[in-house]
Amino acid sequence: MKKSAARLIVFAVVVMIALNGILIWTLWDDKSTNNRKERPPVSELNEFIIREMGFNDEEASTFRKFASRHHENQMQIQANYRDIKRRLNAAMIDQDNEQVDLLIEELSKSLVKKEQEFFRFFSDVMSIIDESDRKKFGKIFREATGAPPHARMPLNPNRLPPPKH
């Protein structure tokens, strides 16, 4: 009687492990499929900005061109970043310190290019906006990107750190 109970428990554990594996695979596959969907060059964020700024057809067309070029540039920068990161990981595994240092420097240059591209896009957009609408654009941009509406307060240098326990 004890042998059959033990076999039943082992069988139940194996079935539970298999079902958990199937469940995890199903959830992972569903999420990875959703992540692979291609985003359009002109996103809902851009359309939100066009609508809120009240751009006329010409301004909206210019903005869409800027956004499309920005999207393409960011995708190229991101692809380059991923390639550098892949090579960096391989160099770290191989313990090639010289190559690691070179790739870290290349990676930082890639991040600088990303920020420069963002600034260029922002400057292009500001060129089609009237002086009176710049504050409005700033508010809309903050709302659309989730940036805080004001600068963070500086840290208080007189504040003592929390006690260590």
Side-chain angles (χ1 to χ4, degrees):
M1 188 107 163
K2 288 185 179 184
K3 284 185 178 181
S4 63
R7 287 183 181 169
L8 185 61
I9 290 174
V10 169
F11 177 74
V13 168
V14 169
V15 168
M16 288 174 51
I17 289 172
L19 289 175
N20 281 334
I22 291 169
L23 176 65
I24 289 171
W25 180 79
T26 303
L27 292 173
W28 174 81
D29 187 52
D30 184 44
K31 286 183 181 178
S32 64
T33 303
N34 290 340
N35 289 339
R36 284 187 223 129
K37 290 180 182 174
E38 187 76 23
R39 285 189 232 157
V42 179
S43 69
E44 292 177 17
L45 172 64
N46 295 333
E47 293 302 320
F48 172 77
I49 291 173
I50 289 170
R51 187 175 53 253
E52 292 297 312
M53 286 301 297
F55 286 154
N56 61 32
D57 290 340
E58 182 182 333
E59 291 170 332
S61 174
T62 304
F63 179 81
R64 285 186 184 105
K65 287 177 188 174
F66 290 156
S68 179
R69 186 175 68 188
H70 173 67
H71 177 75
E72 290 170 10
N73 290 345
Q74 288 290 47
M75 291 295 103
Q76 288 175 350
I77 291 168
Q78 188 64 26
N80 184 42
Y81 179 85
R82 282 192 300 264
D83 179 56
I84 296 167
K85 193 74 167 169
R86 180 189 52 75
R87 290 185 291 146
L88 176 62
N89 290 338
M92 287 190 300
I93 290 170
D94 295 339
Q95 296 288 310
D96 186 353
N97 291 340
E98 287 181 33
Q99 186 69 12
V100 166
D101 290 342
L102 290 173
L103 289 170
I104 288 174
E105 188 174 325
E106 196 175 337
L107 197 63
S108 64
K109 288 178 183 176
S110 177
L111 291 173
V112 168
K113 284 180 186 176
K114 181 179 179 178
E115 294 303 318
Q116 287 172 334
E117 169 57 28
F118 182 75
F119 179 75
R120 187 204 52 78
F121 170 67
F122 194 78
S123 296
D124 286 348
V125 172
M126 292 302 263
S127 71
I128 63 172
I129 296 175
D130 296 336
E131 285 292 326
S132 60
D133 289 337
R134 288 187 182 218
K135 285 189 178 184
K136 181 180 178 183
F137 177 73
K139 289 179 184 177
I140 292 169
F141 183 78
R142 284 186 194 100
E143 182 180 333
T145 60
H150 51 78
R152 288 184 160 195
M153 294 184 63
L155 295 174
N156 184 351
N158 298 324
R159 185 174 168 205
L160 297 174
K164 294 181 181 178
H165 296 284

